[in-house]
Amino acid sequence: MGELVRVVVDAMGGDYAPAEPVKGAVDALNENDHIFVYLAGKEELIRQELSKYTYPKDRLEIVPADEVIETGEPPVKAIQSKKNSSLVAGLTMVRKGMADAIVSSGSTGAVLVGGQAIVRKVKGVERAPLAPLIPTEKGVALLIDCGATVDARPSHLVQFAVMGSIYMESVMGVKKPRVALVNIGAEEEKGNELVKETFPLLKENKNINFIGNIEARDIPKGAADVVVTEAFVGNVILKLYEGVGAVLISKVKSGMMASLRSKIGALLVKPALKQTLKSFDVSEYGGAPLLGLRGLVVKTHGSSKAVEFKNSILQCIQFKEQDLSGKIQEHLSEKE
Amino acid sequence: MGELVRVVVDAMGGDYAPAEPVKGAVDALNENDHIFVYLAGKEELIRQELSKYTYPKDRLEIVPADEVIETGEPPVKAIQSKKNSSLVAGLTMVRKGMADAIVSSGSTGAVLVGGQAIVRKVKGVERAPLAPLIPTEKGVALLIDCGATVDARPSHLVQFAVMGSIYMESVMGVKKPRVALVNIGAEEEKGNELVKETFPLLKENKNINFIGNIEARDIPKGAADVVVTEAFVGNVILKLYEGVGAVLISKVKSGMMASLRSKIGALLVKPALKQTLKSFDVSEYGGAPLLGLRGLVVKTHGSSKAVEFKNSILQCIQFKEQDLSGKIQEHLSEKE
């Protein structure tokens, strides 16, 4: 690999900005020498954070941007009016080809709107879906779409299935990824209008390995590699994963404190348990790419710490090497 | 309480019929003397099962029905053609006022179709929702609708909210139950068309304590008592609850087997853990009533064992005592 992969990090986005995104960027640079990082945000604050660390200075540059988009702001208005925000500055660099990717932990709405409006969609792509990896019993699955396109149409879901397959095959190395459609029963005739219309379209699509409907209970079991659904349901799935996991873990912990006997046991199982629970933590799996754009936009969890920023930055190498956008364009524009 | 509560048990429905429904009925009769049970199904098989137990014979009667509706059968056709099935026989008894309630673990589709077609809706009710209780960190919440009405309209969701409130207040004893609408963000302007149209209707409804939108991650935390959503999303929530719980528990168990140290710990925490996990098991909470009908129809999980049948049968006492159908009719017909 010759060229460096150039990643803009939105240093002002997320709950722990700028400390955690800056640390994540430094850690990524120290771990991998194929990365070049642009830190977009308030110069003074970024310099202050950077002064704490040692890192290869020739592979990092600050992109001064004085404005910050807050979580509560209406996304469209924020993107249009705050031209000098870290997010808009970073997206613009990706659009102009000055950077390959941007990683942001800022407002999901602003990242989605900005990604589509500034970086723009690949030719042939109708909607750009947000596609996080979620843990399963056997590994991970791609959940697509989980928040970008509300009130999606069947043709959107078909494109999501194709993009998700390309992602799992090229980035995650899964051969012939199993694509399934989220439904409330396994039979073809089940479900609402959207899934009933989508099912035959997926069935006849030659570019994917469609295995049929999947019921929500089988997602955590790893019954599919690409889990296709519209944004509302996808978002509910992602957040419920998180919620049920968190409550169950807290119940397990308090349950083990119930007696002296179990307290002693708890001390002994703690290290093993911690490892297990970590493997089922949604936030462990780096950022979610907004697929189908002319450059790479990765959204990380609002509460991301340095390790998640680092992982998301390093992910971009694989995205770039595999030419994800190019492959998507090739598949989706030939169909028109 | 003077009169007996008369419950039909569909002895042929579910994965473990007739053994488990019959045992559940016997256990309910032995535990509570306000119950009268009709066991509907193949007489020979039921007699065979009954011969294993001691029970008050004056409070049990067999309703012979030779046909069985299978899980895979198209519901409408099954209900229309199998007049002599245990399910249709039981539903007809409820319709004719010969029984107060029916408990069935058979095909969900058939129970939903049969309930609406045979028992029929209360005047003023547009759609009858299926409403299971789900475990939360603090207790339980009612998930309404979780499978009855696909492609629901805003007016349906408003009725679900009212019926769910009545249920939680009268059957579960929750004062001014907190009603929330499942959405992908907390703000009023978020979501798809259905929730955007439903939100203001819930907000202006004086009969409920509407607390706004709820994100899926907050459902397990117990942030609302009545969780309102359309059937597709509700079904995904119910099944994902089950799926994430099962996988996480199996991961916790295998995680504890990772080292000798944790294996010893596992032995010590096991009893406490078992209790905890049981409190978070969806199937522990009895059957889901199909609300808004002129009699009580309770659907229990397909894999229900005797204890779930027993709990569901005993639940019917509370339903009857509180005159759930009467209260729903009073609230919903006055609005017309």
Side-chain angles (χ1 to χ4, degrees), chain A residues 149-209:
Chain A
T149 299
V150 287
D151 296 309
R153 291 198 300 267
S155 65
H156 301 154
L157 294 195
V158 174
Q159 288 202 337
F160 297 169
V162 174
M163 289 191 261
S165 283
I166 295 172
Y167 181 100
M168 286 308 273
E169 182 137 17
S170 60
V171 179
M172 301 301 294
V174 178
K175 293 272 163 258
K176 291 192 133 227
R178 295 160 303 158
V179 177
L181 180 65
V182 177
N183 203 342
I184 59 175
E187 305 82 4
E188 181 166 353
E189 69 277 6
K190 284 252 170 144
N192 55 20
E193 281 311 309
L194 177 65
V195 299
K196 278 185 202 164
E197 284 175 38
T198 305
F199 190 102
L201 300 178
L202 290 173
K203 207 172 163 185
E204 73 189 21
N205 193 301
K206 300 268 184 297
N207 294 309
I208 56 170
N209 172 23

Short mmCIF file of all heavy atoms in Angstrom, two decimals, chain A residues 149-209:
data_model
loop_
_atom_site.label_atom_id
_atom_site.label_comp_id
_atom_site.label_asym_id
_atom_site.label_seq_id
_atom_site.Cartn_x
_atom_site.Cartn_y
_atom_site.Cartn_z
N THR A 149 -33.23 6.84 6.23
CA THR A 149 -34.37 7.08 5.34
C THR A 149 -35.69 6.64 5.98
O THR A 149 -36.01 5.45 5.95
CB THR A 149 -34.19 6.31 4.02
OG1 THR A 149 -33.00 6.78 3.38
CG2 THR A 149 -35.36 6.50 3.07
N VAL A 150 -36.45 7.57 6.56
CA VAL A 150 -37.75 7.16 7.09
C VAL A 150 -38.73 7.03 5.94
O VAL A 150 -38.57 7.66 4.90
CB VAL A 150 -38.31 8.11 8.18
CG1 VAL A 150 -37.54 7.96 9.48
CG2 VAL A 150 -38.32 9.55 7.71
N ASP A 151 -39.74 6.17 6.14
CA ASP A 151 -40.74 5.91 5.10
C ASP A 151 -40.09 5.48 3.78
O ASP A 151 -40.37 6.05 2.71
CB ASP A 151 -41.65 7.13 4.92
CG ASP A 151 -42.46 7.41 6.19
OD1 ASP A 151 -43.11 6.47 6.70
OD2 ASP A 151 -42.45 8.53 6.69
N ALA A 152 -39.23 4.48 3.88
CA ALA A 152 -38.51 3.98 2.70
C ALA A 152 -39.45 3.24 1.76
O ALA A 152 -40.50 2.74 2.16
CB ALA A 152 -37.40 3.03 3.15
N ARG A 153 -39.05 3.15 0.49
CA ARG A 153 -39.80 2.39 -0.51
C ARG A 153 -39.09 1.06 -0.78
O ARG A 153 -37.91 0.90 -0.48
CB ARG A 153 -39.90 3.21 -1.79
CG ARG A 153 -40.79 4.44 -1.66
CD ARG A 153 -41.20 4.97 -3.03
NE ARG A 153 -40.06 5.35 -3.83
CZ ARG A 153 -39.53 6.56 -3.90
NH1 ARG A 153 -40.05 7.53 -3.17
NH2 ARG A 153 -38.48 6.83 -4.65
N PRO A 154 -39.80 0.09 -1.39
CA PRO A 154 -39.17 -1.21 -1.68
C PRO A 154 -37.86 -1.09 -2.45
O PRO A 154 -36.88 -1.78 -2.14
CB PRO A 154 -40.24 -1.94 -2.50
CG PRO A 154 -41.53 -1.38 -2.01
CD PRO A 154 -41.25 0.07 -1.73
N SER A 155 -37.80 -0.20 -3.45
CA SER A 155 -36.57 -0.08 -4.24
C SER A 155 -35.39 0.37 -3.38
O SER A 155 -34.24 0.02 -3.63
CB SER A 155 -36.78 0.89 -5.41
OG SER A 155 -37.03 2.20 -4.92
N HIS A 156 -35.68 1.16 -2.34
CA HIS A 156 -34.60 1.56 -1.43
C HIS A 156 -34.05 0.35 -0.70
O HIS A 156 -32.84 0.16 -0.58
CB HIS A 156 -35.10 2.57 -0.40
CG HIS A 156 -35.65 3.83 -0.98
ND1 HIS A 156 -36.59 4.60 -0.33
CD2 HIS A 156 -35.42 4.45 -2.16
CE1 HIS A 156 -36.90 5.64 -1.09
NE2 HIS A 156 -36.20 5.57 -2.20
N LEU A 157 -34.96 -0.49 -0.19
CA LEU A 157 -34.52 -1.65 0.58
C LEU A 157 -33.68 -2.60 -0.28
O LEU A 157 -32.73 -3.21 0.20
CB LEU A 157 -35.73 -2.40 1.18
CG LEU A 157 -36.55 -1.66 2.24
CD1 LEU A 157 -37.45 -2.64 2.99
CD2 LEU A 157 -35.70 -0.92 3.24
N VAL A 158 -34.06 -2.71 -1.55
CA VAL A 158 -33.28 -3.58 -2.45
C VAL A 158 -31.85 -3.03 -2.60
O VAL A 158 -30.87 -3.78 -2.52
CB VAL A 158 -33.96 -3.71 -3.83
CG1 VAL A 158 -33.08 -4.48 -4.79
CG2 VAL A 158 -35.31 -4.41 -3.68
N GLN A 159 -31.74 -1.72 -2.75
CA GLN A 159 -30.39 -1.14 -2.85
C GLN A 159 -29.62 -1.31 -1.54
O GLN A 159 -28.40 -1.56 -1.56
CB GLN A 159 -30.50 0.35 -3.19
CG GLN A 159 -30.94 0.62 -4.62
CD GLN A 159 -30.53 2.00 -5.09
OE1 GLN A 159 -30.30 2.91 -4.30
NE2 GLN A 159 -30.40 2.16 -6.40
N PHE A 160 -30.32 -1.21 -0.42
CA PHE A 160 -29.64 -1.41 0.87
C PHE A 160 -29.06 -2.83 0.93
O PHE A 160 -27.96 -3.05 1.42
CB PHE A 160 -30.61 -1.23 2.05
CG PHE A 160 -31.19 0.16 2.19
CD1 PHE A 160 -32.24 0.41 3.05
CD2 PHE A 160 -30.68 1.22 1.44
CE1 PHE A 160 -32.78 1.68 3.18
CE2 PHE A 160 -31.22 2.50 1.55
CZ PHE A 160 -32.28 2.73 2.43
N ALA A 161 -29.85 -3.79 0.45
CA ALA A 161 -29.41 -5.19 0.47
C ALA A 161 -28.14 -5.36 -0.37
O ALA A 161 -27.19 -6.03 0.04
CB ALA A 161 -30.52 -6.10 -0.06
N VAL A 162 -28.11 -4.71 -1.54
CA VAL A 162 -26.94 -4.82 -2.42
C VAL A 162 -25.72 -4.14 -1.78
O VAL A 162 -24.64 -4.73 -1.70
CB VAL A 162 -27.24 -4.19 -3.81
CG1 VAL A 162 -25.99 -4.16 -4.67
CG2 VAL A 162 -28.36 -4.97 -4.51
N MET A 163 -25.93 -2.93 -1.26
CA MET A 163 -24.81 -2.21 -0.63
C MET A 163 -24.29 -2.96 0.60
O MET A 163 -23.09 -3.05 0.83
CB MET A 163 -25.25 -0.80 -0.25
CG MET A 163 -25.46 0.12 -1.45
SD MET A 163 -25.67 1.87 -0.95
CE MET A 163 -27.44 2.04 -1.01
N GLY A 164 -25.22 -3.49 1.38
CA GLY A 164 -24.83 -4.24 2.57
C GLY A 164 -24.03 -5.49 2.24
O GLY A 164 -23.06 -5.82 2.91
N SER A 165 -24.43 -6.16 1.15
CA SER A 165 -23.69 -7.34 0.70
C SER A 165 -22.27 -6.99 0.30
O SER A 165 -21.32 -7.68 0.66
CB SER A 165 -24.37 -7.97 -0.51
OG SER A 165 -25.49 -8.68 -0.11
N ILE A 166 -22.15 -5.91 -0.48
CA ILE A 166 -20.82 -5.48 -0.92
C ILE A 166 -19.96 -5.16 0.30
O ILE A 166 -18.80 -5.56 0.39
CB ILE A 166 -20.94 -4.23 -1.84
CG1 ILE A 166 -21.68 -4.62 -3.13
CG2 ILE A 166 -19.58 -3.64 -2.15
CD1 ILE A 166 -22.03 -3.44 -4.03
N TYR A 167 -20.56 -4.49 1.27
CA TYR A 167 -19.82 -4.13 2.49
C TYR A 167 -19.33 -5.38 3.22
O TYR A 167 -18.15 -5.50 3.55
CB TYR A 167 -20.75 -3.33 3.41
CG TYR A 167 -20.10 -2.88 4.69
CD1 TYR A 167 -19.62 -1.59 4.82
CD2 TYR A 167 -19.97 -3.74 5.77
CE1 TYR A 167 -19.02 -1.16 6.00
CE2 TYR A 167 -19.37 -3.33 6.95
CZ TYR A 167 -18.90 -2.05 7.06
OH TYR A 167 -18.30 -1.64 8.22
N MET A 168 -20.24 -6.31 3.48
CA MET A 168 -19.86 -7.49 4.26
C MET A 168 -18.84 -8.35 3.51
O MET A 168 -17.95 -8.93 4.12
CB MET A 168 -21.10 -8.34 4.61
CG MET A 168 -21.95 -7.73 5.70
SD MET A 168 -21.05 -7.28 7.22
CE MET A 168 -21.11 -8.84 8.11
N GLU A 169 -18.98 -8.40 2.19
CA GLU A 169 -18.05 -9.21 1.42
C GLU A 169 -16.67 -8.55 1.33
O GLU A 169 -15.66 -9.18 1.64
CB GLU A 169 -18.61 -9.46 0.00
CG GLU A 169 -17.73 -10.35 -0.84
CD GLU A 169 -18.52 -11.38 -1.63
OE1 GLU A 169 -19.75 -11.24 -1.78
OE2 GLU A 169 -17.89 -12.36 -2.08
N SER A 170 -16.64 -7.26 0.97
CA SER A 170 -15.34 -6.65 0.73
C SER A 170 -14.66 -6.16 2.00
O SER A 170 -13.46 -6.33 2.17
CB SER A 170 -15.45 -5.53 -0.31
OG SER A 170 -16.33 -4.54 0.13
N VAL A 171 -15.42 -5.57 2.93
CA VAL A 171 -14.78 -5.04 4.13
C VAL A 171 -14.64 -6.10 5.22
O VAL A 171 -13.61 -6.20 5.88
CB VAL A 171 -15.56 -3.81 4.67
CG1 VAL A 171 -14.92 -3.28 5.94
CG2 VAL A 171 -15.61 -2.72 3.61
N MET A 172 -15.66 -6.92 5.42
CA MET A 172 -15.61 -7.90 6.50
C MET A 172 -15.15 -9.29 6.04
O MET A 172 -15.00 -10.19 6.87
CB MET A 172 -16.98 -8.02 7.18
CG MET A 172 -17.51 -6.72 7.76
SD MET A 172 -16.41 -5.98 9.02
CE MET A 172 -16.55 -7.23 10.31
N GLY A 173 -14.99 -9.45 4.74
CA GLY A 173 -14.46 -10.73 4.24
C GLY A 173 -15.41 -11.91 4.33
O GLY A 173 -14.99 -13.06 4.39
N VAL A 174 -16.74 -11.63 4.36
CA VAL A 174 -17.71 -12.72 4.42
C VAL A 174 -18.06 -13.15 2.99
O VAL A 174 -18.53 -12.34 2.19
CB VAL A 174 -19.01 -12.27 5.14
CG1 VAL A 174 -20.04 -13.39 5.16
CG2 VAL A 174 -18.69 -11.79 6.54
N LYS A 175 -17.84 -14.41 2.67
CA LYS A 175 -18.15 -14.90 1.32
C LYS A 175 -19.65 -15.08 1.16
O LYS A 175 -20.30 -15.66 2.03
CB LYS A 175 -17.46 -16.27 1.08
CG LYS A 175 -15.95 -16.19 1.03
CD LYS A 175 -15.41 -15.89 -0.37
CE LYS A 175 -13.96 -15.42 -0.32
NZ LYS A 175 -13.74 -13.98 -0.48
N LYS A 176 -20.21 -14.62 0.06
CA LYS A 176 -21.64 -14.74 -0.21
C LYS A 176 -22.49 -14.43 1.03
O LYS A 176 -23.20 -15.32 1.55
CB LYS A 176 -21.98 -16.16 -0.69
CG LYS A 176 -21.44 -16.50 -2.06
CD LYS A 176 -22.06 -17.80 -2.56
CE LYS A 176 -22.56 -17.70 -3.98
NZ LYS A 176 -23.89 -18.22 -4.20
N PRO A 177 -22.44 -13.21 1.50
CA PRO A 177 -23.15 -12.88 2.74
C PRO A 177 -24.65 -13.21 2.64
O PRO A 177 -25.29 -12.95 1.61
CB PRO A 177 -22.94 -11.37 2.89
CG PRO A 177 -22.04 -10.94 1.80
CD PRO A 177 -21.74 -12.07 0.91
N ARG A 178 -25.18 -13.80 3.70
CA ARG A 178 -26.60 -14.16 3.76
C ARG A 178 -27.43 -12.90 4.04
O ARG A 178 -27.28 -12.29 5.09
CB ARG A 178 -26.84 -15.18 4.85
CG ARG A 178 -26.17 -16.54 4.63
CD ARG A 178 -26.05 -17.29 5.96
NE ARG A 178 -25.31 -16.47 6.92
CZ ARG A 178 -25.39 -16.61 8.23
NH1 ARG A 178 -26.18 -17.54 8.76
NH2 ARG A 178 -24.70 -15.83 9.06
N VAL A 179 -28.28 -12.53 3.10
CA VAL A 179 -29.11 -11.33 3.23
C VAL A 179 -30.51 -11.75 3.66
O VAL A 179 -31.10 -12.65 3.07
CB VAL A 179 -29.22 -10.60 1.87
CG1 VAL A 179 -30.15 -9.40 1.98
CG2 VAL A 179 -27.84 -10.17 1.38
N ALA A 180 -31.04 -11.10 4.70
CA ALA A 180 -32.40 -11.41 5.14
C ALA A 180 -33.19 -10.13 5.36
O ALA A 180 -32.63 -9.08 5.66
CB ALA A 180 -32.38 -12.25 6.41
N LEU A 181 -34.50 -10.24 5.20
CA LEU A 181 -35.42 -9.10 5.37
C LEU A 181 -36.13 -9.24 6.72
O LEU A 181 -36.72 -10.28 7.00
CB LEU A 181 -36.44 -9.15 4.22
CG LEU A 181 -37.52 -8.06 4.17
CD1 LEU A 181 -36.91 -6.69 3.93
CD2 LEU A 181 -38.53 -8.39 3.06
N VAL A 182 -36.08 -8.19 7.53
CA VAL A 182 -36.73 -8.26 8.84
C VAL A 182 -38.25 -8.31 8.64
O VAL A 182 -38.82 -7.47 7.95
CB VAL A 182 -36.39 -7.03 9.72
CG1 VAL A 182 -37.14 -7.09 11.05
CG2 VAL A 182 -34.89 -6.98 9.99
N ASN A 183 -38.87 -9.33 9.23
CA ASN A 183 -40.32 -9.46 9.13
C ASN A 183 -40.86 -10.07 10.42
O ASN A 183 -40.10 -10.45 11.30
CB ASN A 183 -40.68 -10.33 7.91
CG ASN A 183 -42.11 -10.05 7.42
OD1 ASN A 183 -42.93 -9.49 8.13
ND2 ASN A 183 -42.39 -10.44 6.20
N ILE A 184 -42.19 -10.12 10.52
CA ILE A 184 -42.79 -10.62 11.76
C ILE A 184 -43.19 -12.08 11.65
O ILE A 184 -43.94 -12.60 12.46
CB ILE A 184 -44.00 -9.74 12.17
CG1 ILE A 184 -45.06 -9.74 11.07
CG2 ILE A 184 -43.55 -8.32 12.42
CD1 ILE A 184 -46.33 -8.99 11.47
N GLY A 185 -42.65 -12.76 10.65
CA GLY A 185 -42.88 -14.18 10.49
C GLY A 185 -41.93 -14.64 9.41
O GLY A 185 -41.39 -13.82 8.66
N ALA A 186 -41.73 -15.94 9.29
CA ALA A 186 -40.75 -16.43 8.32
C ALA A 186 -41.36 -16.58 6.92
O ALA A 186 -40.66 -16.57 5.93
CB ALA A 186 -40.19 -17.76 8.80
N GLU A 187 -42.69 -16.70 6.83
CA GLU A 187 -43.34 -16.97 5.55
C GLU A 187 -43.37 -15.75 4.65
O GLU A 187 -43.49 -14.62 5.10
CB GLU A 187 -44.77 -17.47 5.78
CG GLU A 187 -44.89 -18.67 6.70
CD GLU A 187 -44.86 -18.29 8.19
OE1 GLU A 187 -44.83 -17.09 8.51
OE2 GLU A 187 -44.85 -19.21 9.03
N GLU A 188 -43.33 -16.01 3.32
CA GLU A 188 -43.28 -14.93 2.34
C GLU A 188 -44.48 -14.00 2.41
O GLU A 188 -44.36 -12.80 2.18
CB GLU A 188 -43.15 -15.54 0.91
CG GLU A 188 -43.07 -14.49 -0.18
CD GLU A 188 -42.61 -15.05 -1.53
OE1 GLU A 188 -42.23 -16.24 -1.59
OE2 GLU A 188 -42.62 -14.29 -2.52
N GLU A 189 -45.66 -14.53 2.74
CA GLU A 189 -46.87 -13.70 2.68
C GLU A 189 -47.10 -12.86 3.95
O GLU A 189 -48.06 -12.10 4.03
CB GLU A 189 -48.11 -14.56 2.37
CG GLU A 189 -48.53 -15.50 3.47
CD GLU A 189 -47.75 -16.82 3.47
OE1 GLU A 189 -46.80 -16.96 2.67
OE2 GLU A 189 -48.07 -17.68 4.28
N LYS A 190 -46.22 -12.98 4.93
CA LYS A 190 -46.38 -12.22 6.17
C LYS A 190 -45.96 -10.76 6.03
O LYS A 190 -45.25 -10.40 5.12
CB LYS A 190 -45.49 -12.86 7.25
CG LYS A 190 -46.05 -14.13 7.82
CD LYS A 190 -46.55 -13.94 9.24
CE LYS A 190 -47.32 -15.16 9.68
NZ LYS A 190 -47.13 -15.48 11.09
N GLY A 191 -46.40 -9.93 6.98
CA GLY A 191 -45.85 -8.59 7.11
C GLY A 191 -46.70 -7.45 6.61
O GLY A 191 -47.85 -7.63 6.22
N ASN A 192 -46.12 -6.26 6.61
CA ASN A 192 -46.82 -5.07 6.14
C ASN A 192 -46.59 -4.89 4.64
O ASN A 192 -45.88 -5.66 4.00
CB ASN A 192 -46.37 -3.83 6.94
CG ASN A 192 -44.87 -3.63 6.91
OD1 ASN A 192 -44.18 -4.16 6.04
ND2 ASN A 192 -44.34 -2.88 7.86
N GLU A 193 -47.20 -3.85 4.08
CA GLU A 193 -47.11 -3.63 2.63
C GLU A 193 -45.66 -3.53 2.16
O GLU A 193 -45.29 -4.12 1.15
CB GLU A 193 -47.85 -2.33 2.25
CG GLU A 193 -49.35 -2.50 2.17
CD GLU A 193 -49.78 -3.71 1.35
OE1 GLU A 193 -49.30 -3.85 0.22
OE2 GLU A 193 -50.57 -4.53 1.87
N LEU A 194 -44.84 -2.79 2.91
CA LEU A 194 -43.45 -2.57 2.50
C LEU A 194 -42.70 -3.88 2.32
O LEU A 194 -42.06 -4.12 1.30
CB LEU A 194 -42.73 -1.66 3.51
CG LEU A 194 -41.25 -1.42 3.22
CD1 LEU A 194 -41.06 -0.64 1.92
CD2 LEU A 194 -40.59 -0.66 4.38
N VAL A 195 -42.77 -4.76 3.31
CA VAL A 195 -42.00 -6.00 3.19
C VAL A 195 -42.62 -6.97 2.18
O VAL A 195 -41.91 -7.70 1.50
CB VAL A 195 -41.75 -6.70 4.56
CG1 VAL A 195 -40.95 -5.80 5.49
CG2 VAL A 195 -43.02 -7.14 5.21
N LYS A 196 -43.95 -6.93 2.06
CA LYS A 196 -44.58 -7.82 1.07
C LYS A 196 -44.15 -7.44 -0.35
O LYS A 196 -43.99 -8.29 -1.21
CB LYS A 196 -46.10 -7.74 1.18
CG LYS A 196 -46.65 -8.61 2.29
CD LYS A 196 -48.18 -8.57 2.25
CE LYS A 196 -48.77 -8.94 3.58
NZ LYS A 196 -50.19 -8.54 3.67
N GLU A 197 -44.01 -6.12 -0.59
CA GLU A 197 -43.58 -5.68 -1.92
C GLU A 197 -42.07 -5.90 -2.12
O GLU A 197 -41.61 -6.12 -3.24
CB GLU A 197 -43.91 -4.19 -2.12
CG GLU A 197 -45.37 -3.94 -2.39
CD GLU A 197 -45.70 -2.45 -2.45
OE1 GLU A 197 -44.88 -1.68 -2.98
OE2 GLU A 197 -46.77 -2.08 -1.94
N THR A 198 -41.33 -5.81 -1.02
CA THR A 198 -39.87 -5.92 -1.14
C THR A 198 -39.42 -7.37 -1.34
O THR A 198 -38.46 -7.63 -2.08
CB THR A 198 -39.20 -5.33 0.12
OG1 THR A 198 -39.65 -3.98 0.30
CG2 THR A 198 -37.68 -5.31 -0.02
N PHE A 199 -40.09 -8.30 -0.68
CA PHE A 199 -39.66 -9.71 -0.70
C PHE A 199 -39.41 -10.25 -2.11
O PHE A 199 -38.30 -10.74 -2.40
CB PHE A 199 -40.67 -10.57 0.07
CG PHE A 199 -40.22 -11.98 0.32
CD1 PHE A 199 -39.75 -12.36 1.57
CD2 PHE A 199 -40.25 -12.94 -0.69
CE1 PHE A 199 -39.32 -13.67 1.81
CE2 PHE A 199 -39.83 -14.25 -0.46
CZ PHE A 199 -39.37 -14.61 0.78
N PRO A 200 -40.39 -10.17 -3.04
CA PRO A 200 -40.13 -10.72 -4.38
C PRO A 200 -38.98 -10.01 -5.11
O PRO A 200 -38.27 -10.64 -5.90
CB PRO A 200 -41.47 -10.51 -5.11
CG PRO A 200 -42.26 -9.56 -4.28
CD PRO A 200 -41.78 -9.69 -2.89
N LEU A 201 -38.81 -8.72 -4.84
CA LEU A 201 -37.71 -7.99 -5.50
C LEU A 201 -36.35 -8.51 -5.02
O LEU A 201 -35.40 -8.61 -5.79
CB LEU A 201 -37.81 -6.48 -5.21
CG LEU A 201 -39.10 -5.78 -5.67
CD1 LEU A 201 -39.08 -4.31 -5.27
CD2 LEU A 201 -39.26 -5.91 -7.19
N LEU A 202 -36.27 -8.83 -3.74
CA LEU A 202 -35.01 -9.36 -3.21
C LEU A 202 -34.78 -10.78 -3.74
O LEU A 202 -33.66 -11.17 -4.06
CB LEU A 202 -35.03 -9.37 -1.67
CG LEU A 202 -34.97 -8.00 -0.99
CD1 LEU A 202 -35.16 -8.14 0.51
CD2 LEU A 202 -33.63 -7.32 -1.28
N LYS A 203 -35.89 -11.52 -3.83
CA LYS A 203 -35.81 -12.91 -4.27
C LYS A 203 -35.28 -13.01 -5.70
O LYS A 203 -34.51 -13.91 -6.02
CB LYS A 203 -37.23 -13.50 -4.21
CG LYS A 203 -37.29 -14.99 -4.01
CD LYS A 203 -38.73 -15.41 -3.76
CE LYS A 203 -38.96 -16.88 -3.95
NZ LYS A 203 -40.40 -17.20 -3.79
N GLU A 204 -35.68 -12.06 -6.54
CA GLU A 204 -35.27 -12.15 -7.94
C GLU A 204 -33.93 -11.46 -8.22
O GLU A 204 -33.41 -11.54 -9.33
CB GLU A 204 -36.36 -11.55 -8.84
CG GLU A 204 -36.43 -10.03 -8.77
CD GLU A 204 -37.63 -9.43 -9.49
OE1 GLU A 204 -38.61 -10.16 -9.70
OE2 GLU A 204 -37.58 -8.23 -9.82
N ASN A 205 -33.36 -10.78 -7.20
CA ASN A 205 -32.10 -10.06 -7.42
C ASN A 205 -30.91 -11.02 -7.46
O ASN A 205 -30.64 -11.73 -6.49
CB ASN A 205 -31.91 -9.01 -6.31
CG ASN A 205 -30.80 -8.03 -6.66
OD1 ASN A 205 -29.66 -8.43 -6.87
ND2 ASN A 205 -31.13 -6.76 -6.73
N LYS A 206 -30.21 -11.00 -8.58
CA LYS A 206 -29.12 -11.97 -8.78
C LYS A 206 -27.82 -11.58 -8.06
O LYS A 206 -26.89 -12.37 -7.96
CB LYS A 206 -28.81 -12.10 -10.29
CG LYS A 206 -29.99 -12.58 -11.12
CD LYS A 206 -30.00 -14.08 -11.27
CE LYS A 206 -31.12 -14.54 -12.18
NZ LYS A 206 -32.47 -14.21 -11.65
N ASN A 207 -27.74 -10.31 -7.63
CA ASN A 207 -26.49 -9.83 -7.03
C ASN A 207 -26.34 -10.16 -5.56
O ASN A 207 -25.32 -9.83 -4.95
CB ASN A 207 -26.38 -8.32 -7.21
CG ASN A 207 -26.24 -7.93 -8.66
OD1 ASN A 207 -25.39 -8.47 -9.36
ND2 ASN A 207 -27.08 -7.02 -9.13
N ILE A 208 -27.37 -10.73 -4.97
CA ILE A 208 -27.30 -11.00 -3.53
C ILE A 208 -27.71 -12.45 -3.23
O ILE A 208 -28.38 -13.09 -4.02
CB ILE A 208 -28.23 -10.06 -2.72
CG1 ILE A 208 -29.68 -10.16 -3.23
CG2 ILE A 208 -27.73 -8.62 -2.78
CD1 ILE A 208 -30.68 -9.46 -2.35
N ASN A 209 -27.26 -12.90 -2.06
CA ASN A 209 -27.61 -14.23 -1.58
C ASN A 209 -28.76 -14.08 -0.57
O ASN A 209 -28.55 -14.08 0.63
CB ASN A 209 -26.37 -14.86 -0.94
CG ASN A 209 -26.67 -16.17 -0.23
OD1 ASN A 209 -27.65 -16.84 -0.53
ND2 ASN A 209 -25.82 -16.53 0.73
#
